[in-house]
Amino acid sequence: MPTKSRFPDIDVPNVDLWTFLFERKSKPFPDDKGMFSLFPIGQMANFYTYAQVRSTALDFGKGLKALWGWKKGDVLALYTPNCIDTPSVIWGTHWAGGIVSPANPGYTVEELAFQLKDSGAKAVATQKPFLESVREACKKVGIEEDRIILIGDERDSTNRFKYFTNIRNTSGATRFRKAKIDPKKDLAFLVYSSGTTGHPKGVMLSHTNIVSDVMMHAVGEDGNLSCQGGKDNKGDKVLAFLPFFHIYGLTCLIHQSLNSGWQLIVMPKFDLERFCQHIQTHSITFAYVVPPVVLMLGKSPIVSKYDLSSMRMMNSGAAPLTRELVEAVYERLKIPVKQGYGLSETSPTTHTQRWEDWQSTIGSVGLLLPNQTAKYMAADDTEVPAGQTGELWIKGPNVFQGYLNNPEGTANALTSDGYFKTGDVGHQDEAGNFFITDRVKELIKYKGFQVPPAELEGILIGHPDVDDVAVIGIYNEEQATEVPRAYIVPKKGVQAGKEKEIAEWLAKKVASHKRLRGGVRFVDEVPKSASGKILRRVLKEQALKEEKGGKAKL
């Protein structure tokens, strides 16, 4: 039987995001509560209170209608690193009935152009340093330059592009009214999942998807994060470096903070030194992180320069987190690290460890959040019992509406009774804790045996000479099977020649079929996405070059 959440179901209101966030009858914090703060190096700090976010978003939404006749369903693309203007732009677009499609600012012109065309974007918001790429991409897909919006502090001296305050101040905007939204059907976001091959897929998320996930996530944190208290009575301060263009940062940071009243200290991108400085300077109490950050906190000498004692907890997501990393950070810094789980298609969070269970359930992604059911399925689509490995399927109000312009992909991902096939492999224990061990498509098949790369990575990261690692399957013609190969970033000072020693060290810790028969390669870095996921596709391409005699470095 499918597993039902152990949390009681919650009542999800049938309202759009604007109504949910800005028209509620009561909230546990005042209108002048500071919500988003940015502290640029060498510049004045920028702040938004709750009231300022609301008024700015409202003006922006009215401006979109007045200036461009914005209609329900029109798409605004975002191509920007984290910016404290981003939340107001998002919610103003929603007020006007629009859909927001965030794009990775690391995309090439061609990658951005694909998303703009696929999403049907009518306008793009960006920052000045990214203006030329946006102009080129817009030209490719037929978006006029006067539909490019600038946010952030830098202006364009040519005055050819509208700064978002110009849109907010459009004359005649006051006569417009909020768009009527059907929360369960109308889309709030089109986020693009990276996938492992081919073009990214446009994940269609409704207002109800996001509202339900924000409420479910709040239950999972169980009141441990507060908008009040602390030494300055300003409540919990959350360090926001996760990209707002990714569903993890979009929901867990932007939406969850405004719903719950946490203060976000915004970082445009991750930098370990700045991360530690902010924690020390602003008494940060919580952070949503990814495994590469946990790895650095456990190993980097930079960390020792700072006082991080204000941190009460970190939550890791986006990729599997190993026991070795959790224990290394706690031993060094006494900061607990719990783990959660989710996907773009689930808005994202579906599971989280409870604060009180972080130590007793290390390795687990925790309990299934409210209003969901889940099951692990065998390859023949039959359910497997607790303790046995299968693919995780999830059903709930947070599950997406399908893939844009991709009926085949949608049909393959969603069952007729509403379950989403996550593509992730794992199991659950008798206590209801869920475990994710790997991706279905990333499992290495060695002579019929399944080898999870994440398991080997978790062990290898514990080797004293290893700073970072990724494992992939390499096809071996002589054996007519895949074999595991490790790409390792060695600790500073470790010289080439240690590869065989590391492989032999691992061989003593794993079953025979999990040995590194594909060898060990030292590399300068492990390629990862903005959300911290290992880009195994890039490594496989590198492996093919090696097999053909190429020696291109990663």
Side-chain angles (χ1 to χ4, degrees), residues 190-202:
L190 269 171
V191 299
Y192 277 71
S193 63
S194 55
T196 53
T197 58
H199 284 302
K201 298 190 291 290

Side-chain angles (χ1 to χ4, degrees), residues 345-533:
E345 291 87 346
T346 55
S347 304
T349 312
T350 60
H351 298 71
T352 191
Q353 283 180 294
R354 297 183 299 182
W355 284 53
E356 62 269 28
D357 291 343
W358 76 271
Q359 206 158 19
S360 61
T361 58
I362 292 177
S364 162
V365 296
L367 301 176
L368 186 66
L369 291 176
N371 297 53
Q372 301 175 105
T373 54
K375 52 188 177 181
Y376 282 103
M377 305 294 285
D380 61 359
D381 287 355
T382 58
E383 188 174 357
V384 300
Q388 292 190 22
T389 298
E391 180 188 1
L392 178 61
W393 292 13
I394 297 175
K395 183 179 183 179
N398 52 317
V399 171
F400 74 133
Q401 308 301 294
Y403 296 116
L404 182 70
N405 306 325
N406 192 343
E408 182 181 355
T410 300
N412 290 335
L414 293 171
T415 66
S416 58
D417 57 348
Y419 278 93
F420 167 55
K421 302 176 182 180
T422 67
D424 284 322
V425 174
H427 64 276
Q428 62 176 310
D429 63 19
E430 296 294 342
N433 295 298
F434 282 67
F435 293 79
I436 302 297
T437 52
D438 230 309
R439 293 287 294 169
V440 170
K441 294 179 180 178
E442 291 175 354
L443 287 173
I444 300 166
K445 305 290 179 61
Y446 173 72
K447 295 185 176 180
F449 292 98
Q450 293 186 337
V451 182
E455 177 187 341
L456 302 187
E457 290 159 0
I459 298 170
L460 286 165
I461 203 65
H463 191 284
D465 293 334
V466 174
D467 253 357
D468 202 359
V469 59
V471 175
I472 61 172
I474 302 297
Y475 189 76
N476 183 289
E477 290 187 2
E478 293 180 4
Q479 299 183 60
T481 185
E482 278 190 312
V483 292
R485 174 181 293 173
Y487 285 83
I488 287 173
V489 178
K491 190 173 284 294
K492 189 174 181 180
V494 174
Q495 301 297 317
K498 283 251 185 177
E499 294 92 338
K500 184 177 180 182
E501 179 184 315
I502 293 173
E504 291 172 348
W505 175 86
L506 178 73
K508 296 174 184 177
K509 297 178 177 289
V510 297
S512 176
H513 66 277
K514 296 180 181 178
R515 293 176 181 172
L516 296 173
R517 289 178 168 83
V520 172
R521 301 286 189 274
F522 280 178
V523 293
D524 295 331
E525 64 177 345
V526 171
K528 294 176 182 175
S529 71
S531 64
K533 291 182 181 178

Side-chain angles (χ1 to χ4, degrees), residues 59-376:
D59 289 344
F60 182 76
K62 289 180 177 180
L64 286 178
K65 287 193 165 194
L67 186 64
W68 293 326
W70 206 260
K71 300 186 298 294
K72 190 170 85 168
D74 282 352
V75 176
L76 174 72
L78 292 173
Y79 184 75
T80 170
N82 288 1
C83 175
I84 61 170
D85 297 332
T86 299
S88 296
V89 170
I90 288 173
W91 294 318
T93 304
H94 288 160
W95 183 91
I99 303 165
V100 176
S101 185
N104 185 338
Y107 275 176
T108 64
V109 169
E110 288 72 22
E111 289 169 328
L112 175 59
F114 169 80
Q115 184 167 330
L116 295 179
K117 183 177 181 180
D118 192 65
S119 67
K122 303 290 186 184
V124 187
T126 189
Q127 293 190 60
K128 187 182 176 184
F130 303 88
L131 190 51
E132 286 308 309
S133 293
V134 172
R135 289 180 65 195
E136 289 184 45
C138 285
K139 187 176 181 180
K140 284 178 177 289
V141 300
I143 297 175
E144 297 296 328
E145 282 196 351
D146 67 356
R147 291 292 185 101
I148 298 174
I149 304 164
L150 287 176
I151 61 176
D153 290 331
E154 291 188 70
R155 306 292 181 105
D156 173 58
S157 58
T158 67
N159 293 317
R160 284 183 294 170
F161 306 98
K162 291 180 176 62
Y163 193 67
F164 92 114
T165 52
N166 302 135
I167 295 174
R168 289 168 47 204
N169 297 325
T170 302
S171 61
T174 55
R175 62 189 174 88
F176 290 95
R177 297 291 176 263
K178 178 180 171 294
K180 292 182 179 180
I181 298 294
D182 182 339
K184 293 181 179 178
K185 293 182 179 179
D186 292 335
L187 302 185
F189 293 100
L190 269 171
V191 299
Y192 277 71
S193 63
S194 55
T196 53
T197 58
H199 284 302
K201 298 190 291 290
V203 178
M204 299 189 290
L205 297 172
S206 70
H207 286 258
T208 294
N209 289 152
I210 304 296
V211 168
S212 60
D213 202 75
V214 169
M215 295 184 70
M216 289 156 47
H217 194 169
V219 171
E221 299 298 0
D222 196 26
N224 286 294
L225 290 169
S226 172
C227 59
Q228 299 171 335
K231 68 178 185 179
D232 54 9
N233 203 39
K234 291 185 178 179
D236 278 289
K237 295 180 181 177
V238 179
L239 193 50
F241 70 87
L242 292 176
F244 293 168
F245 61 80
H246 187 270
I247 191 64
Y248 189 6
L250 192 63
T251 302
C252 297
L253 292 175
I254 293 180
H255 287 82
Q256 190 61 53
S257 65
L258 200 83
N259 177 59
S260 300
W262 316 330
Q263 183 182 354
L264 285 193
I265 308 299
V266 178
M267 294 177 64
K269 62 180 181 179
F270 181 77
D271 173 85
L272 182 60
E273 189 105 36
R274 291 288 288 168
F275 177 88
C276 294
Q277 285 175 353
H278 279 324
I279 293 175
Q280 177 175 288
T281 303
H282 304 293
S283 298
I284 302 294
T285 59
F286 187 87
Y288 288 103
V289 297
V290 290
V293 173
V294 181
L295 172 68
M296 284 186 267
L297 291 172
K299 293 198 171 191
S300 174
I302 291 174
V303 177
S304 300
K305 295 159 51 180
Y306 297 93
D307 177 6
L308 309 185
S309 61
S310 62
M311 290 287 290
R312 299 197 291 121
M313 176 69 78
M314 291 190 296
N315 184 94
S316 181
L321 182 68
T322 64
R323 172 179 291 274
E324 287 78 9
L325 291 184
V326 174
E327 292 180 341
V329 169
Y330 190 69
E331 182 178 342
R332 184 183 190 186
L333 302 173
K334 292 297 179 283
I335 300 174
V337 185
K338 68 185 184 74
Q339 189 172 192
Y341 170 77
L343 308 99
S344 296
E345 291 87 346
T346 55
S347 304
T349 312
T350 60
H351 298 71
T352 191
Q353 283 180 294
R354 297 183 299 182
W355 284 53
E356 62 269 28
D357 291 343
W358 76 271
Q359 206 158 19
S360 61
T361 58
I362 292 177
S364 162
V365 296
L367 301 176
L368 186 66
L369 291 176
N371 297 53
Q372 301 175 105
T373 54
K375 52 188 177 181
Y376 282 103

